[in-house]
Amino acid sequence: MKNNILKNCILIISVIIIFMSIFACVNAAEDNSDLTMLSLSKGGLVIDYPSNWGYSESTSEYSIMALSKLDSIDSAGIGQVNINFEKKPMEGEFYSYVNDTYKSMQKDSSFELISSGGVMVGTMDAVEYIYTSTDDNGTKKEHKAVWFEKGGQAYVMLYSAPVDKFEDNLYVFDYMLSDIQIT
């Protein structure tokens, strides 16, 4: 009899713990029920992105378009979590051009290469670089850059975020990269 009561108590406690864990996970998850997908077409690229991101300006002269997570825009109007699309005229062979870009960045003491290697963008071969850097305000950011070539132009899709926000928003970059259309 005592054995049955003990088993029942353990079962009830286990069920309560499971329900509390599920409840905590559901409440901790970001509510995306009101998000819609938007499209943007510019500079030979077509992308879909969630409505909690918005079109933003970029200081890069090669920028085709830039998006920032709306809740990451600071008081100066700059998105701290952003994705920038660039198209650069390329001199020489694609892989040498991309690798030389990162060789010159390594001279900057705030640059730290995490990884690099080959990936695919659709059916095209591409190169991925993941690295960190520290900006002028002392904020350490993580970056994921994916480079590909089309028509003698080097395209780069660059995701940047403060290190503590990088993983939380990486899925948006990965989705855009998997769904990008190059015209």
Side-chain angles (χ1 to χ4, degrees), residues 49-50 52-53 83 157 169-177:
Y49 63 96
N52 62 343
W53 286 68
I83 299 171
M157 187 172 162
N169 298 286
L170 183 58
Y171 73 97
V172 174
F173 176 84
D174 289 339
Y175 171 78
M176 286 183 200
L177 188 61

Side-chain angles (χ1 to χ4, degrees), residues 113-152:
L113 182 64
I114 295 171
S115 67
S116 64
V119 295
M120 297 294 290
V121 174
T123 59
M124 294 187 300
D125 289 328
V127 180
E128 174 185 274
Y129 277 84
I130 299 175
Y131 59 96
T132 61
S133 67
T134 305
D135 67 17
D136 295 335
N137 297 326
T139 303
K140 188 172 184 177
K141 290 192 169 185
E142 191 164 348
H143 312 274
K144 180 176 180 178
V146 176
W147 293 78
F148 55 93
E149 184 220 352
K150 179 158 176 152

Side-chain angles (χ1 to χ4, degrees), residues 43-115:
L45 301 177
V46 179
I47 56 138
D48 293 326
Y49 63 96
S51 59
N52 62 343
W53 286 68
Y55 191 75
S56 59
E57 294 299 319
S58 170
T59 56
S60 170
E61 68 181 284
Y62 299 108
S63 184
I64 299 170
M65 62 179 119
L67 298 167
S68 294
K69 187 166 185 193
L70 296 176
D71 68 1
S72 79
I73 298 173
D74 64 18
S75 59
I78 298 169
Q80 296 302 305
V81 177
N82 57 58
I83 299 171
N84 190 32
F85 301 82
E86 296 182 3
K87 180 168 67 171
K88 298 180 176 186
M90 191 175 59
E91 295 179 18
E93 194 265 331
F94 172 71
Y95 292 102
S96 295
Y97 174 78
V98 173
N99 291 328
D100 288 347
T101 299
Y102 289 93
K103 283 179 188 169
S104 67
M105 288 174 67
Q106 289 178 353
K107 294 175 186 170
D108 180 349
S109 62
S110 74
F111 174 88
E112 183 182 338
L113 182 64
I114 295 171
S115 67

Side-chain angles (χ1 to χ4, degrees), residues 1-19:
M1 178 94 158
K2 287 183 182 181
N3 208 11
N4 283 341
I5 292 173
L6 184 60
K7 286 180 183 178
N8 287 338
C9 285
I10 291 173
L11 180 63
I12 291 171
I13 291 171
S14 297
V15 169
I16 290 171
I17 290 172
I18 290 170
F19 279 122

Side-chain angles (χ1 to χ4, degrees), residues 26-44:
V26 169
N27 282 339
E30 187 176 339
D31 180 15
N32 292 325
S33 61
D34 62 341
L35 289 181
T36 57
M37 293 303 286
L38 305 171
S39 286
L40 186 59
S41 175
K42 196 170 179 186

